[in-house]
Amino acid sequence: MTEAYIYDALRTPRGKGRKDGALHEVTSLRLSAQTLNAVKERNNLEGHAVEDVIWGNVTQVMEQGGCLARSAVLASDLDERIPGLAINRFCASGMEAVNLAANQVKGGAGMAYIAGGVEMMGRVASDGAAIAVDPSVAIDKYFVPQGISADIIATEYGFSRDDADQLAMASQQRAAAAWKDGRFDKSVITIRDQNGLTILDHDEYMRPETDMQSLGSLNPAFQAMGEVMPGFDKVAMLKYPHLEK
């Protein structure tokens, strides 16, 4: 079986997923196209240089609908003959795109692929998927949002609020230290507007000043959702009654 190798890896800066975020004016299509352009330029890709572009995104509706991977190829400077494949494995979509590309190489289907993903949560809202809103699926399979699932895992394995806050604080500090040390200099590209002006060139939401006191003053993120919207805690307890206290 052929071995698969990663020849280059890059990403855009991460922006706030809100209307006041620096990337809010940028569509997922433009963000993807600029990323593909950076891959092309850095690796001197000419013609039909890769077999396929495999792109993961969760909310495949509206401006993220259709086959976003193919649209991104056409919007980029890549050869327009290169096809595109859009896939959805929820939050693992980008990772699965990379896995698919690697498996295509290993299986002999092609020699080179571009794989990744995009999600603009500040622009494209939930698509109302059946897994969440159709009672025939959601109720029967005890559907709960990820935040409730995280609380279930924390309860099951004994992670406290302080444990989670400590990890969050350390993560912020490590991210700031990595940026200061220049560890992202070769992997994070600059996003520009139509006039070539810089929109964002660094991760926007780092808060290295975060401490345990400020985190501890925040309300639990999913308490209201669990209790009254529309009672996901009760749904979870039907599935995991041993966790109820």
Side-chain angles (χ1 to χ4, degrees):
M1 182 176 290
T2 303
E3 289 293 332
Y5 297 93
I6 297 175
Y7 280 85
D8 195 10
L10 57 84
R11 66 172 175 87
T12 68
R14 296 188 178 95
K16 295 178 181 177
R18 306 188 185 98
K19 291 184 178 180
D20 62 346
L23 295 178
H24 183 71
E25 70 177 79
V26 186
T27 66
S28 53
L29 177 59
R30 283 183 55 204
L31 204 64
S32 299
Q34 290 195 39
T35 302
L36 294 178
N37 287 343
V39 174
K40 179 182 186 298
E41 181 178 351
R42 285 165 52 134
N43 295 278
N44 300 312
L45 301 181
E46 297 295 338
H48 206 307
V50 297
E51 193 73 28
D52 206 350
V53 170
I54 306 176
W55 223 236
N57 66 296
V58 178
T59 313
Q60 297 186 1
V61 297
M62 302 176 68
E63 63 187 45
Q64 286 188 179
C67 180
L68 183 59
R70 177 58 178 155
S71 299
V73 170
L74 296 176
S76 75
D77 296 330
L78 289 175
D79 192 307
E80 65 178 18
R81 295 173 295 170
I82 296 173
L85 169 65
I87 64 164
N88 179 359
R89 200 184 285 280
F90 296 113
C91 292
S93 296
M95 182 182 295
E96 186 64 14
V98 175
N99 291 340
L100 284 174
N103 288 330
Q104 290 287 80
V105 171
K106 289 182 177 181
M111 293 296 293
Y113 292 79
I114 298 175
V118 66
E119 202 73 32
M120 296 296 288
M121 298 179 69
R123 293 182 59 90
V124 183
S126 171
D127 56 4
I131 193 172
V133 302
D134 187 336
S136 67
V137 179
I139 293 178
D140 185 53
K141 299 303 179 183
Y142 308 100
F143 173 83
V144 295
Q146 281 188 326
I148 304 300
S149 298
D151 285 344
I152 293 171
I153 293 171
T155 303
E156 178 76 21
Y157 294 98
F159 296 112
S160 68
R161 167 70 183 268
D162 280 350
D163 291 333
D165 287 351
Q166 184 71 42
L167 180 61
M169 181 181 69
S171 178
Q172 290 284 357
Q173 294 170 347
R174 290 168 182 165
W179 273 101
K180 184 177 180 180
D181 290 346
R183 299 189 184 187
F184 297 110
D185 289 351
K186 295 182 179 180
S187 59
V188 176
I189 65 174
T190 298
I191 299 301
R192 306 182 189 278
D193 65 13
Q194 300 281 17
N195 299 312
L197 300 177
T198 297
I199 297 177
L200 190 63
D201 60 3
H202 63 280
D203 288 334
E204 187 176 19
Y205 51 76
M206 287 185 297
R207 295 185 292 271
E209 72 282 357
T210 298
D211 56 31
M212 291 293 289
Q213 289 71 32
S214 61
L215 289 173
S217 67
L218 300 175
N219 292 326
F222 299 98
Q223 182 174 354
M225 181 182 291
E227 293 177 350
V228 299
M229 296 176 55
F232 285 118
D233 284 350
K234 293 182 179 179
V235 175
M237 289 308 101
L238 292 174
K239 182 70 172 178
Y240 303 98
H242 65 287
L243 298 180
E244 190 167 14
K245 296 180 180 180

